[in-house]
Amino acid sequence: MEVPGLAHNITSPLSPCEGMIKDLSLDALQLCERDGSKSQDGSISEMEELPVPQNIKISNITCDSFKICWDMEARSKERITHYFIDLNKKENKNSNKFKHKDVPTKLVAKAVPLPMTVRGHWFLSPRTEYTVAVQTASKQTDGDYAISEWSEIIEFCTADYSTVHLNQLLEKAEVIAGRMLRFSVFYRNQNKEYFDHAREAQENRMLPSVKDNSGSHGSPISGKLEGIFFSCNTEFNTGKPPQDSPYGRHRFEIQADALFNPNTNLYFGDFYCMYTAYHYVILVLAPKGSRGDDFCKQRLPALDITNNRFLTCKQDEDAAGSLVFHHAQDVILEVIYTEPLDLALGTVAEISGHQLMSMSTVNAKKDPSCKTCNISVGR
């Protein structure tokens, strides 16, 4: 059973839960202290007979829900009518009070069988550490509440987006992907020192590194998947890679079929924007059977390499045995290749354009207000 929200008579715009729980006044919310002390007007009073929740357990954690249960002494158990649940982000430890500004994190539930599910994308975000404490309460005939002391404080962390959530992002990205343009090379821009280091210290290889925290906060690849970022977008008028880049003036180019072919699996990783009109789609290329492929199979939606809205690899009908490649025109593709690459497989040269630092997506935060690329779970 899902935990409902807060009192129906709370009119503050800060309360997205408005209208979901009845019969708990704003005064009661404001006066319910974390230490269980009595309020000045007696609207909530402490009753020793009410059992304090013990041994709290959190389970079935997702990006925007969890199950909670606890043990209680038998005494006065039948008198319990409600549970008060105090939920806070871990970095906000000092706000453990029913204060008006914190209303969205203070939950009230009728006393239902345990475990019960707490669900709500307006107060739960993915990959976020929370603290939770519980009180038992008994509603009196006059509408006031008798309460127990607060339980111990438990910490937990919400999960990444599931494949269900990623498929919702995928569907949104497909809507704006646009028509497909032909391309022939993947490219990676960096500074000169990067490529010098690859030659001198890494046996002439570019090595995978852990993906940063750019994009959706709930992305299961951020901080976990190892890979090498590539681009493949081309200029509309030339069909070639652009001469500007935010990442450096030296560019490694490699023929598309060296990374993307029938022995490669393709996965959808993320869809986001950075408070601009540009939208980014992250895709993952993983050779079949590789460690990166095993990682993605468990976490990301797989795409048909010959038939999707972002990046395709097909047999060339005009040249037997050759492959032809296309990319989506209206989104910027960030392609992660999961394996080391020898620089000898391509070429490194200096580009003639500018280094546009403002276009960098390194650790870029997703715009949580964009209706195009957000879904109804934590951002």
Side-chain angles (χ1 to χ4, degrees), residues 67-361:
K67 284 188 176 182
I68 185 170
C69 66
W70 55 83
D71 300 329
M72 286 186 294
E73 296 178 7
R75 60 185 173 87
S76 300
K77 194 173 181 180
E78 70 282 352
R79 294 184 56 242
I80 298 172
T81 61
H82 291 79
Y83 302 132
F84 293 174
I85 301 176
D86 187 16
L87 182 69
N88 289 282
K89 288 186 178 180
K90 188 175 176 181
E91 63 266 27
N92 198 22
K93 289 181 177 179
N94 294 324
S95 66
N96 288 327
K97 295 181 179 180
F98 278 160
K99 293 186 293 186
H100 194 193
K101 67 179 181 179
D102 289 332
V103 159
T105 66
K106 312 306 174 183
L107 309 177
V108 182
K110 290 183 177 180
V112 297
L114 301 176
M116 63 180 174
T117 299
V118 178
R119 185 189 310 277
H121 68 267
W122 55 84
F123 57 81
L124 283 173
S125 297
R127 284 191 170 200
T128 303
E129 292 184 324
Y130 289 92
T131 64
V132 63
V134 185
Q135 277 180 321
T136 58
S138 176
K139 188 173 183 180
Q140 310 298 293
T141 56
D142 60 0
D144 293 340
Y145 285 81
I147 58 173
S148 73
E149 294 181 359
W150 284 101
S151 71
E152 63 179 328
I153 297 174
I154 298 297
E155 298 180 358
F156 71 98
C157 185
T158 48
D160 300 332
Y161 283 163
S162 69
T163 52
V164 172
H165 302 117
L166 288 171
N167 274 309
Q168 293 174 14
L169 278 179
L170 168 60
E171 291 171 3
K172 279 181 163 283
E174 288 175 335
V175 172
I176 69 161
R179 69 190 186 101
M180 303 293 281
L181 300 179
R182 189 162 178 169
F183 77 101
S184 60
V185 297
F186 289 102
Y187 55 94
R188 173 174 174 80
N189 277 74
Q190 283 288 338
N191 53 47
K192 181 178 182 295
E193 290 72 22
Y194 171 86
F195 293 109
D196 288 343
H197 182 75
R199 295 185 186 97
E200 297 166 7
Q202 298 173 177
E203 299 179 337
N204 206 48
R205 297 182 304 162
M206 294 184 292
L207 300 180
S209 59
V210 177
K211 183 194 171 298
D212 64 12
N213 289 317
S214 60
S216 300
H217 187 55
S219 172
I221 61 177
S222 293
K224 295 181 180 179
L225 178 67
E226 294 185 356
I228 306 170
F229 266 102
F230 282 91
S231 299
C232 64
N233 289 82
T234 56
E235 293 182 323
F236 176 78
N237 56 339
T238 66
K240 296 180 179 180
Q243 282 300 304
D244 299 321
S245 171
Y247 304 111
R249 292 182 53 82
H250 287 74
R251 174 174 292 169
F252 173 77
E253 285 192 5
I254 186 170
Q255 291 300 306
D257 60 357
L259 306 187
F260 193 22
N261 54 63
N263 293 317
T264 310
N265 281 328
L266 176 66
Y267 298 92
F268 173 82
D270 200 4
F271 176 44
Y272 70 100
C273 70
M274 305 182 297
Y275 302 90
T276 68
Y278 301 106
H279 276 86
Y280 297 81
V281 170
I282 297 180
L283 303 174
V284 182
L285 288 174
K288 292 180 179 179
S290 65
R291 187 172 68 171
D293 190 35
D294 291 339
F295 177 95
C296 294
K297 278 182 179 177
Q298 301 173 40
R299 296 169 177 84
L300 304 180
L303 301 177
D304 182 344
I305 67 169
T306 67
N307 183 25
N308 67 80
R309 297 297 307 275
F310 311 112
L311 190 69
T312 60
C313 168
K314 300 179 181 179
Q315 292 293 328
D316 191 342
E317 297 178 356
D318 299 325
S322 298
L323 299 172
V324 61
F325 303 90
H326 291 83
H327 71 81
Q329 175 185 358
D330 295 341
V331 291
I332 299 174
L333 297 181
E334 297 182 307
V335 181
I336 301 176
Y337 186 72
T338 63
E339 303 305 303
L341 274 177
D342 195 318
L343 292 176
L345 295 174
T347 60
V348 177
E350 188 171 359
I351 59 174
S352 59
H354 302 285
Q355 185 170 346
L356 305 175
M357 298 300 295
S358 62
M359 292 291 290
S360 173
T361 62

Side-chain angles (χ1 to χ4, degrees), residues 33-52:
E33 298 288 343
R34 272 289 286 115
D35 60 7
S37 60
K38 295 181 181 180
S39 64
Q40 293 294 321
D41 63 358
S43 60
I44 293 183
S45 59
E46 187 176 0
M47 296 286 289
E48 287 297 330
E49 303 87 67
L50 289 178
V52 178

